[in-house]
Amino acid sequence: MIDQDKVRQAVRLLLEGIGEDPDREGLAETPERIARMCEEIYGGLDETAEVHLRKTFEAEENEMVLEKDLVFYSTCEHHLLPFFGKAHIAYIPDGRVVGLSKLARTVEVFARRPQIQEQLTGQIADALMRFLQPRGAMVLIEAEHMCMTMRGIKKPGSRTVTMAKRGCFLEYPELEHTFFAMLGTGK
Ligand code: ZN
C-alpha cells in the first residue's frame, strides 16, 4: 500500500535537498499532488494480473492471437523517470482465450510500478503463461526512456526494444516469423 504521508514528507525533503523552498506558493501543494499521483502511477504494486486473466472463454480456434500497439507509461526504477511506448502481445491458445481488454489491463498491472523494460516484458509473458495457460506467448515492447533523453547521454528518439518468448515460441522459430508478419500488417 502507498503510504501517502511518507511520500509527502519525502517530496518536501527532496525539494529542500535541491535547494528549493517547499513553502513557496508554486510548490506548497506539490507534495500532496505527488502523493495522490503515486496511487495512479505506482498502483500496480498492489495488483495482480490474475484478476484480469483468470476469466477465460472456450475457443475452437487455436491460431495465434496478437494484440498490438498497447500504449503504456511506466517509471524507470533507476532514475524514477518515465519510460513509455507500445507493447505487442501474442499467444497461442490451448482451448481458452481471454478478453482482449484484459491483455491491456495486464500491461497496466506491471507498468504501474518502478520497473525496467526487460523485466516488464518478461513479467507480462510469465503472467500469460501462468494464468491463461496458452501453448506459448510472446511479448515485444518498444519504448522511449526519459533517462536516456532528458539526462545522461541525451539521445532523443532512441527506442529500446525488448522481447520475451515462452512455451511453443521457444520450440518453433517460425511462430516468431508469424508474429512479426502479423505485427507488420496494417502499418
Ligand atoms: Zn533510467
Side-chain angles (χ1 to χ4, degrees):
M1 285 297 285
I2 284 157
D3 183 335
Q4 293 219 4
D5 220 34
K6 237 178 200 170
V7 176
R8 276 191 290 269
Q9 291 170 31
V11 173
R12 203 183 151 82
L13 262 181
L14 175 70
L15 289 169
E16 285 175 9
I18 63 168
E20 263 289 2
D21 169 13
D23 293 317
R24 74 176 170 83
E25 196 186 348
L27 292 175
E29 288 176 31
T30 298
E32 177 62 36
R33 261 186 227 109
I34 291 184
R36 270 187 273 121
M37 182 180 74
C38 284
E39 296 279 354
E40 197 175 333
I41 66 178
Y42 300 130
L45 284 169
D46 298 323
E47 292 175 7
T48 155
E50 187 178 4
V51 293
H52 304 302
L53 294 176
R54 77 177 157 213
K55 189 170 163 44
T56 58
F57 306 93
E58 215 178 292
E60 285 173 17
E61 283 291 329
N62 280 323
E63 293 295 328
M64 190 184 304
V65 177
L66 169 67
E67 189 68 15
K68 62 184 184 182
D69 296 334
L70 295 164
V71 174
F72 74 90
Y73 295 86
S74 188
T75 309
C76 133
E77 68 183 22
H78 298 144
H79 302 93
L80 293 186
L81 285 174
F83 70 95
F84 54 93
K86 289 174 178 175
H88 315 289
I89 302 178
Y91 67 95
I92 312 273
D94 191 11
R96 314 285 302 172
V97 293
V98 72
L100 295 175
S101 69
K102 306 303 182 190
L103 297 175
R105 298 250 180 246
T106 299
V107 174
E108 291 289 297
V109 167
F110 297 110
R112 291 166 58 230
R113 59 181 72 185
Q115 189 55 283
I116 61 171
Q117 186 179 329
E118 296 88 331
Q119 183 174 268
L120 172 64
T121 315
Q123 283 174 338
I124 295 167
D126 288 336
L128 279 170
M129 294 305 287
R130 184 163 168 212
F131 301 121
L132 179 59
Q133 300 183 330
R135 290 180 183 166
M138 178 165 166
V139 179
L140 185 85
I141 294 183
E142 36 188 323
E144 185 172 331
H145 292 246
M146 293 299 281
C147 59
M148 291 274 290
T149 56
M150 73 178 282
R151 59 157 292 285
I153 62 165
K154 296 198 178 69
K155 288 285 174 241
S158 71
R159 287 187 301 167
T160 305
V161 183
T162 48
M163 183 170 91
K165 294 188 285 184
R166 301 288 186 267
C168 59
F169 278 91
L170 293 168
E171 287 163 60
Y172 305 104
E174 61 269 28
L175 289 175
E176 191 180 322
H177 299 146
T178 309
F179 175 94
F180 282 110
M182 286 170 75
L183 196 58
T185 56
K187 280 204 169 171

